Amino acid sequence: WAEDTCTRDTEHVVCEASAGLVDGENTAVEQFRREGWAVVKGVLDKQFMEEVRSHVDYLLDKYPQIPGEHFHHMIMRNDPFWVRLITDPRLTSLANQFADFIDSDVALFSSHYFIKQPRTGKEVGWHQDGAYWPLKPMNVLTLWLA
């Protein structure tokens, strides 16, 4: 996953299909199924993550009155970069590997930029998102970028 296999133009990102994460007994997918979480490094290349950081900086400048922890739906629903980010084939491919319930009928239930600036904001303790989401069945996958 660390190698960038994508080509870009002004509107599209096309990535080669990945062979996947399963590489033995101790895989991220197996850990996720066992523990409910996993860390997968290098899914998005450095160039794209620099674009993400630049866009987050732009949003922080554009909306100085809103704490970064509260960049929710009202900001994202009209944000073309966000659409590009959540539909990146590397992320959708990764999601498919972790959530066997995903098919072609996927709905984005909740999303936001959760911007935690150094030495500011409030702590977010361990929790399960399902307590806040009235979904049945609770077929949900959360992806965090850091």
Side-chain angles (χ1 to χ4, degrees):
W1 287 91
E3 183 178 326
D4 182 10
T5 59
C6 302
T7 57
R8 296 168 178 79
D9 61 29
T10 58
E11 296 180 24
H12 302 91
V13 177
V14 178
C15 303
E16 293 177 19
S18 171
L21 295 173
V22 180
D23 59 0
E25 292 182 321
N26 191 19
T27 68
V29 173
E30 289 169 352
Q31 176 177 333
F32 177 76
R33 290 186 178 138
R34 196 175 53 249
E35 303 288 333
W37 65 273
V39 175
V40 182
K41 296 182 179 183
V43 175
L44 299 175
D45 60 277
K46 184 177 179 179
Q47 176 187 347
F48 190 67
M49 288 306 295
E50 287 172 1
E51 289 181 56
V52 171
R53 177 180 290 267
S54 177
H55 187 68
V56 166
D57 289 342
Y58 160 78
L59 291 173
L60 288 168
D61 289 343
K62 183 174 181 179
Y63 302 103
Q65 73 282 10
I66 301 175
E69 294 93 339
H70 297 283
F71 278 36
H72 296 243
H73 308 289
M74 74 170 208
I75 292 173
M76 302 180 86
R77 69 179 174 223
N78 297 315
D79 184 358
F81 184 84
W82 171 80
V83 172
R84 179 177 160 219
L85 175 63
I86 66 161
T87 60
D88 187 285
R90 295 165 291 185
L91 293 179
T92 57
S93 174
L94 181 70
N96 276 305
Q97 292 184 57
F98 281 86
D100 57 3
F101 55 83
I102 293 178
D103 59 21
S104 61
D105 188 21
V106 175
L108 180 65
F109 175 73
S110 178
S111 186
H112 56 277
Y113 293 109
F114 198 76
I115 305 162
K116 297 291 287 177
Q117 297 286 21
R119 296 171 291 284
T120 64
K122 295 180 181 181
E123 177 182 324
V124 176
W126 284 101
H127 65 280
Q128 291 187 354
D129 292 337
Y132 304 100
W133 298 339
L135 301 175
K136 290 187 182 182
M138 185 56 69
N139 289 343
V140 177
L141 179 70
T142 300
L143 299 177
W144 286 66
L145 301 179

